[in-house]
Amino acid sequence: MHYRFLATSVATAGLALSAAACSSGSSSSSSSAAAAASPSTSMSSSASSASMTDFGSGCSAVPASGAGSFTGMAIAPVATAASANPVLSTLVTAVKTAGLVDTLNSAKGITVFAPDNSAFAKIPAATLKSVLANKAELTKILTYHVVSGRITPTELASGATLKTLEGDTVTPAKMGSSYTVNGADVICGNVQTANATVYIISSVLMPK
């Protein structure tokens, strides 16, 4: 009887150990499955980040490092960010002349269609000088380049009109891989600053 009881106890302990091993294996398999799933989550996150990157042939003119680079601009409010980017120096001069630096820097979630230096160079020198000397007209033109909300490339491609800070509307469009705003080419788009999304454009937009 004593030996039979001992044998039974050993057999029972063996079954318990087997069950524990199976349970551990199942748990390990679940952990492995979770680990296998995590890369896809990571890739999804990366894809989301990629959709926020800048695009366009003109992006190569933006400094690769420093305050005027994409990384540097991303942590500064929009007027301050633009002032560090040599591509936008004429625009920054106009913004300062109009007294709009604080207005743009303190705005919450806006989109700025920013003419680059070559866009201003298309305007006759005498005309540009006249506009810079007329604060009311300059303010009207500059606020025509600003809309509420951070407009994404997808929203830009939809062609829906956007109301500007000036009060009138602009019309974006997409043809193939090219984006335009009122016919002006977006040469570097989806540039992020601390409070705005910037689309650098090839021409100065004129309100009606």
Short mmCIF file of all heavy atoms in Angstrom, two decimals, residues 19-81:
data_model
loop_
_atom_site.label_atom_id
_atom_site.label_comp_id
_atom_site.label_asym_id
_atom_site.label_seq_id
_atom_site.Cartn_x
_atom_site.Cartn_y
_atom_site.Cartn_z
N ALA A 19 1.64 19.79 -17.14
CA ALA A 19 0.63 20.83 -17.37
C ALA A 19 1.27 22.20 -17.26
O ALA A 19 0.99 23.11 -18.04
CB ALA A 19 -0.49 20.69 -16.34
N ALA A 20 2.16 22.36 -16.26
CA ALA A 20 2.83 23.65 -16.08
C ALA A 20 3.71 23.97 -17.27
O ALA A 20 3.77 25.11 -17.74
CB ALA A 20 3.67 23.62 -14.80
N ALA A 21 4.39 22.94 -17.80
CA ALA A 21 5.25 23.15 -18.97
C ALA A 21 4.44 23.58 -20.17
O ALA A 21 4.83 24.46 -20.93
CB ALA A 21 6.02 21.85 -19.27
N CYS A 22 3.26 22.94 -20.36
CA CYS A 22 2.40 23.29 -21.49
C CYS A 22 1.92 24.72 -21.36
O CYS A 22 1.88 25.48 -22.31
CB CYS A 22 1.19 22.34 -21.56
SG CYS A 22 1.63 20.67 -22.08
N SER A 23 1.56 25.09 -20.11
CA SER A 23 1.07 26.44 -19.87
C SER A 23 2.16 27.45 -20.16
O SER A 23 1.95 28.48 -20.76
CB SER A 23 0.62 26.57 -18.40
OG SER A 23 0.25 27.90 -18.10
N SER A 24 3.41 27.14 -19.74
CA SER A 24 4.54 28.02 -19.97
C SER A 24 4.81 28.17 -21.44
O SER A 24 5.08 29.24 -21.95
CB SER A 24 5.76 27.46 -19.25
OG SER A 24 6.91 28.20 -19.54
N GLY A 25 4.69 27.03 -22.19
CA GLY A 25 4.92 27.05 -23.63
C GLY A 25 3.89 27.91 -24.32
O GLY A 25 4.19 28.66 -25.24
N SER A 26 2.64 27.81 -23.86
CA SER A 26 1.55 28.59 -24.46
C SER A 26 1.79 30.07 -24.23
O SER A 26 1.62 30.89 -25.11
CB SER A 26 0.21 28.17 -23.83
OG SER A 26 -0.84 28.97 -24.30
N SER A 27 2.23 30.38 -22.97
CA SER A 27 2.51 31.79 -22.64
C SER A 27 3.64 32.31 -23.48
O SER A 27 3.63 33.43 -23.97
CB SER A 27 2.85 31.89 -21.15
OG SER A 27 3.23 33.21 -20.81
N SER A 28 4.68 31.47 -23.67
CA SER A 28 5.83 31.85 -24.47
C SER A 28 5.42 32.10 -25.91
O SER A 28 5.87 33.03 -26.56
CB SER A 28 6.88 30.75 -24.39
OG SER A 28 7.98 31.05 -25.22
N SER A 29 4.50 31.23 -26.42
CA SER A 29 4.03 31.38 -27.79
C SER A 29 3.28 32.69 -27.96
O SER A 29 3.40 33.39 -28.95
CB SER A 29 3.10 30.22 -28.18
OG SER A 29 3.82 29.01 -28.13
N SER A 30 2.47 33.03 -26.93
CA SER A 30 1.72 34.28 -26.99
C SER A 30 2.65 35.47 -27.01
O SER A 30 2.44 36.43 -27.74
CB SER A 30 0.78 34.39 -25.76
OG SER A 30 -0.16 33.35 -25.76
N SER A 31 3.73 35.38 -26.18
CA SER A 31 4.70 36.47 -26.14
C SER A 31 5.39 36.61 -27.48
O SER A 31 5.63 37.70 -27.98
CB SER A 31 5.75 36.21 -25.05
OG SER A 31 5.13 36.16 -23.79
N SER A 32 5.72 35.45 -28.10
CA SER A 32 6.38 35.47 -29.39
C SER A 32 5.47 36.08 -30.44
O SER A 32 5.89 36.83 -31.31
CB SER A 32 6.75 34.04 -29.82
OG SER A 32 7.66 33.50 -28.89
N ALA A 33 4.16 35.73 -30.35
CA ALA A 33 3.20 36.27 -31.31
C ALA A 33 3.10 37.78 -31.15
O ALA A 33 3.03 38.52 -32.14
CB ALA A 33 1.83 35.62 -31.09
N ALA A 34 3.09 38.24 -29.89
CA ALA A 34 3.01 39.68 -29.65
C ALA A 34 4.25 40.38 -30.19
O ALA A 34 4.18 41.45 -30.77
CB ALA A 34 2.87 39.95 -28.15
N ALA A 35 5.41 39.72 -29.97
CA ALA A 35 6.66 40.31 -30.46
C ALA A 35 6.66 40.38 -31.98
O ALA A 35 7.15 41.32 -32.58
CB ALA A 35 7.85 39.49 -29.97
N ALA A 36 6.09 39.35 -32.61
CA ALA A 36 6.05 39.31 -34.08
C ALA A 36 5.12 40.38 -34.61
O ALA A 36 5.32 40.92 -35.69
CB ALA A 36 5.59 37.93 -34.55
N ALA A 37 4.07 40.71 -33.82
CA ALA A 37 3.10 41.71 -34.28
C ALA A 37 3.65 43.12 -34.13
O ALA A 37 3.27 44.01 -34.87
CB ALA A 37 1.80 41.58 -33.48
N SER A 38 4.56 43.33 -33.17
CA SER A 38 5.03 44.68 -32.90
C SER A 38 5.73 45.35 -34.08
O SER A 38 5.58 46.53 -34.27
CB SER A 38 5.95 44.69 -31.68
OG SER A 38 7.10 43.91 -31.88
N PRO A 39 6.51 44.63 -34.93
CA PRO A 39 7.12 45.31 -36.07
C PRO A 39 6.10 45.95 -36.99
O PRO A 39 6.32 47.02 -37.52
CB PRO A 39 7.90 44.18 -36.78
CG PRO A 39 8.19 43.20 -35.69
CD PRO A 39 6.99 43.25 -34.80
N SER A 40 4.95 45.29 -37.21
CA SER A 40 3.94 45.85 -38.10
C SER A 40 3.39 47.13 -37.49
O SER A 40 3.09 48.09 -38.20
CB SER A 40 2.82 44.85 -38.36
OG SER A 40 2.13 44.56 -37.16
N THR A 41 3.24 47.14 -36.15
CA THR A 41 2.78 48.36 -35.49
C THR A 41 3.81 49.45 -35.68
O THR A 41 3.48 50.61 -35.95
CB THR A 41 2.60 48.10 -33.98
OG1 THR A 41 1.67 47.03 -33.81
CG2 THR A 41 2.08 49.34 -33.26
N SER A 42 5.09 49.08 -35.55
CA SER A 42 6.16 50.04 -35.73
C SER A 42 6.17 50.57 -37.14
O SER A 42 6.36 51.76 -37.38
CB SER A 42 7.50 49.36 -35.41
OG SER A 42 8.58 50.22 -35.65
N MET A 43 5.96 49.66 -38.14
CA MET A 43 5.96 50.09 -39.53
C MET A 43 4.80 51.02 -39.80
O MET A 43 4.92 51.99 -40.55
CB MET A 43 5.90 48.87 -40.46
CG MET A 43 7.22 48.11 -40.53
SD MET A 43 7.23 46.88 -41.83
CE MET A 43 6.03 45.70 -41.23
N SER A 44 3.66 50.73 -39.18
CA SER A 44 2.49 51.59 -39.35
C SER A 44 2.78 52.98 -38.83
O SER A 44 2.43 53.99 -39.43
CB SER A 44 1.29 50.98 -38.59
OG SER A 44 0.18 51.84 -38.64
N SER A 45 3.46 53.04 -37.67
CA SER A 45 3.84 54.32 -37.08
C SER A 45 4.80 55.06 -38.00
O SER A 45 4.69 56.26 -38.19
CB SER A 45 4.48 54.10 -35.71
OG SER A 45 4.91 55.31 -35.15
N SER A 46 5.75 54.33 -38.59
CA SER A 46 6.72 54.94 -39.49
C SER A 46 6.04 55.47 -40.73
O SER A 46 6.37 56.54 -41.24
CB SER A 46 7.79 53.92 -39.90
OG SER A 46 8.50 53.48 -38.76
N ALA A 47 5.05 54.71 -41.24
CA ALA A 47 4.32 55.15 -42.43
C ALA A 47 3.59 56.43 -42.15
O ALA A 47 3.52 57.34 -42.98
CB ALA A 47 3.35 54.05 -42.86
N SER A 48 3.02 56.52 -40.93
CA SER A 48 2.30 57.73 -40.54
C SER A 48 3.26 58.91 -40.49
O SER A 48 2.94 60.00 -40.93
CB SER A 48 1.65 57.53 -39.16
OG SER A 48 1.02 58.71 -38.72
N SER A 49 4.47 58.68 -39.95
CA SER A 49 5.46 59.74 -39.87
C SER A 49 5.90 60.17 -41.27
O SER A 49 6.10 61.34 -41.54
CB SER A 49 6.68 59.27 -39.08
OG SER A 49 6.32 58.98 -37.74
N ALA A 50 6.04 59.18 -42.16
CA ALA A 50 6.49 59.47 -43.52
C ALA A 50 5.50 60.37 -44.25
O ALA A 50 5.88 61.18 -45.08
CB ALA A 50 6.69 58.17 -44.30
N SER A 51 4.21 60.20 -43.93
CA SER A 51 3.18 61.00 -44.60
C SER A 51 3.28 62.47 -44.21
O SER A 51 2.69 63.33 -44.84
CB SER A 51 1.79 60.47 -44.26
OG SER A 51 1.48 60.71 -42.90
N MET A 52 4.04 62.76 -43.15
CA MET A 52 4.18 64.13 -42.67
C MET A 52 5.46 64.78 -43.19
O MET A 52 5.76 65.91 -42.87
CB MET A 52 4.19 64.15 -41.13
CG MET A 52 2.86 63.79 -40.49
SD MET A 52 1.56 64.95 -40.93
CE MET A 52 2.11 66.40 -40.03
N THR A 53 6.24 64.11 -44.02
CA THR A 53 7.51 64.65 -44.47
C THR A 53 7.31 65.68 -45.58
O THR A 53 6.31 65.68 -46.28
CB THR A 53 8.44 63.54 -44.96
OG1 THR A 53 7.79 62.81 -46.02
CG2 THR A 53 8.77 62.58 -43.84
N ASP A 54 8.32 66.55 -45.72
CA ASP A 54 8.28 67.57 -46.74
C ASP A 54 8.49 66.95 -48.12
O ASP A 54 8.99 65.83 -48.25
CB ASP A 54 9.38 68.60 -46.46
CG ASP A 54 10.72 67.93 -46.21
OD1 ASP A 54 11.44 67.63 -47.18
OD2 ASP A 54 11.04 67.67 -45.03
N PHE A 55 8.11 67.68 -49.17
CA PHE A 55 8.26 67.16 -50.53
C PHE A 55 8.45 68.32 -51.50
O PHE A 55 8.04 69.45 -51.22
CB PHE A 55 7.04 66.32 -50.93
CG PHE A 55 5.77 67.14 -50.99
CD1 PHE A 55 5.39 67.83 -52.14
CD2 PHE A 55 4.94 67.23 -49.88
CE1 PHE A 55 4.23 68.59 -52.18
CE2 PHE A 55 3.77 67.98 -49.90
CZ PHE A 55 3.41 68.66 -51.07
N GLY A 56 9.03 68.06 -52.65
CA GLY A 56 9.15 69.05 -53.70
C GLY A 56 10.60 69.33 -54.07
O GLY A 56 11.50 69.24 -53.25
N SER A 57 10.80 69.71 -55.34
CA SER A 57 12.16 69.94 -55.85
C SER A 57 12.85 71.11 -55.15
O SER A 57 14.07 71.15 -55.03
CB SER A 57 12.11 70.21 -57.35
OG SER A 57 11.29 71.35 -57.63
N GLY A 58 12.07 72.07 -54.66
CA GLY A 58 12.65 73.23 -54.00
C GLY A 58 13.17 72.96 -52.61
O GLY A 58 13.86 73.80 -52.02
N CYS A 59 12.86 71.80 -52.07
CA CYS A 59 13.30 71.47 -50.70
C CYS A 59 14.82 71.36 -50.62
O CYS A 59 15.40 71.52 -49.54
CB CYS A 59 12.66 70.17 -50.23
SG CYS A 59 10.88 70.30 -49.93
N SER A 60 15.47 71.10 -51.75
CA SER A 60 16.93 70.96 -51.73
C SER A 60 17.62 72.28 -51.42
O SER A 60 18.79 72.30 -51.02
CB SER A 60 17.42 70.44 -53.09
OG SER A 60 17.05 71.34 -54.13
N ALA A 61 16.91 73.42 -51.58
CA ALA A 61 17.50 74.73 -51.30
C ALA A 61 17.44 75.09 -49.82
O ALA A 61 18.06 76.05 -49.38
CB ALA A 61 16.79 75.81 -52.12
N VAL A 62 16.68 74.31 -49.05
CA VAL A 62 16.57 74.56 -47.61
C VAL A 62 17.84 74.05 -46.94
O VAL A 62 18.33 72.96 -47.27
CB VAL A 62 15.32 73.84 -47.04
CG1 VAL A 62 15.26 73.96 -45.53
CG2 VAL A 62 14.05 74.42 -47.68
N PRO A 63 18.41 74.81 -45.99
CA PRO A 63 19.63 74.36 -45.31
C PRO A 63 19.49 72.96 -44.71
O PRO A 63 18.42 72.58 -44.25
CB PRO A 63 19.81 75.40 -44.20
CG PRO A 63 19.13 76.63 -44.72
CD PRO A 63 17.95 76.13 -45.49
N ALA A 64 20.58 72.21 -44.76
CA ALA A 64 20.57 70.83 -44.26
C ALA A 64 20.63 70.76 -42.74
O ALA A 64 20.25 69.76 -42.14
CB ALA A 64 21.73 70.06 -44.86
N SER A 65 21.10 71.83 -42.10
CA SER A 65 21.21 71.82 -40.64
C SER A 65 21.02 73.24 -40.12
O SER A 65 20.99 74.21 -40.87
CB SER A 65 22.57 71.26 -40.21
OG SER A 65 23.62 72.06 -40.72
N GLY A 66 20.90 73.34 -38.80
CA GLY A 66 20.76 74.65 -38.18
C GLY A 66 19.31 75.08 -38.05
O GLY A 66 18.38 74.34 -38.38
N ALA A 67 19.10 76.31 -37.59
CA ALA A 67 17.75 76.82 -37.31
C ALA A 67 16.89 76.91 -38.56
O ALA A 67 15.66 76.83 -38.48
CB ALA A 67 17.86 78.20 -36.65
N GLY A 68 17.51 77.07 -39.73
CA GLY A 68 16.74 77.19 -40.97
C GLY A 68 16.47 75.87 -41.66
O GLY A 68 15.81 75.84 -42.71
N SER A 69 16.94 74.78 -41.09
CA SER A 69 16.69 73.45 -41.66
C SER A 69 15.30 72.99 -41.28
O SER A 69 14.61 73.62 -40.47
CB SER A 69 17.72 72.45 -41.13
OG SER A 69 17.53 72.26 -39.73
N PHE A 70 14.86 71.89 -41.87
CA PHE A 70 13.54 71.36 -41.54
C PHE A 70 13.45 71.01 -40.05
O PHE A 70 12.42 71.28 -39.41
CB PHE A 70 13.22 70.13 -42.39
CG PHE A 70 13.10 70.43 -43.85
CD1 PHE A 70 13.91 69.80 -44.79
CD2 PHE A 70 12.16 71.36 -44.30
CE1 PHE A 70 13.79 70.09 -46.14
CE2 PHE A 70 12.04 71.66 -45.66
CZ PHE A 70 12.86 71.02 -46.58
N THR A 71 14.50 70.44 -39.52
CA THR A 71 14.51 70.08 -38.10
C THR A 71 14.47 71.32 -37.22
O THR A 71 13.74 71.38 -36.23
CB THR A 71 15.76 69.24 -37.76
OG1 THR A 71 15.77 68.07 -38.57
CG2 THR A 71 15.77 68.84 -36.30
N GLY A 72 15.26 72.33 -37.59
CA GLY A 72 15.29 73.56 -36.83
C GLY A 72 13.97 74.32 -36.90
O GLY A 72 13.49 74.85 -35.89
N MET A 73 13.35 74.37 -38.07
CA MET A 73 12.08 75.08 -38.25
C MET A 73 10.96 74.41 -37.46
O MET A 73 10.04 75.06 -36.99
CB MET A 73 11.72 75.14 -39.73
CG MET A 73 12.63 76.04 -40.55
SD MET A 73 12.17 76.08 -42.31
CE MET A 73 10.63 77.02 -42.26
N ALA A 74 11.04 73.11 -37.30
CA ALA A 74 9.97 72.35 -36.65
C ALA A 74 9.76 72.72 -35.19
O ALA A 74 8.68 72.50 -34.64
CB ALA A 74 10.25 70.85 -36.76
N ILE A 75 10.77 73.30 -34.56
CA ILE A 75 10.65 73.60 -33.13
C ILE A 75 10.43 75.09 -32.86
O ILE A 75 10.38 75.51 -31.70
CB ILE A 75 11.88 73.10 -32.35
CG1 ILE A 75 13.16 73.77 -32.87
CG2 ILE A 75 12.00 71.58 -32.44
CD1 ILE A 75 14.41 73.42 -32.07
N ALA A 76 10.31 75.90 -33.91
CA ALA A 76 10.12 77.34 -33.74
C ALA A 76 8.78 77.78 -34.32
O ALA A 76 8.28 77.15 -35.26
CB ALA A 76 11.25 78.10 -34.43
N PRO A 77 8.15 78.84 -33.78
CA PRO A 77 6.93 79.35 -34.38
C PRO A 77 7.22 79.87 -35.78
O PRO A 77 8.36 80.22 -36.10
CB PRO A 77 6.48 80.46 -33.42
CG PRO A 77 7.73 80.85 -32.70
CD PRO A 77 8.55 79.60 -32.60
N VAL A 78 6.20 79.96 -36.61
CA VAL A 78 6.39 80.08 -38.06
C VAL A 78 7.20 81.30 -38.50
O VAL A 78 8.07 81.17 -39.37
CB VAL A 78 5.04 80.02 -38.79
CG1 VAL A 78 4.12 81.18 -38.42
CG2 VAL A 78 5.24 79.95 -40.30
N ALA A 79 6.94 82.48 -37.96
CA ALA A 79 7.70 83.66 -38.41
C ALA A 79 9.17 83.56 -38.01
O ALA A 79 10.06 83.92 -38.78
CB ALA A 79 7.08 84.94 -37.84
N THR A 80 9.41 83.04 -36.82
CA THR A 80 10.78 82.84 -36.34
C THR A 80 11.48 81.77 -37.18
O THR A 80 12.64 81.93 -37.57
CB THR A 80 10.79 82.43 -34.86
OG1 THR A 80 10.15 83.45 -34.09
CG2 THR A 80 12.21 82.22 -34.35
N ALA A 81 10.76 80.71 -37.48
CA ALA A 81 11.32 79.62 -38.30
C ALA A 81 11.69 80.13 -39.69
O ALA A 81 12.76 79.82 -40.21
CB ALA A 81 10.31 78.49 -38.40
#
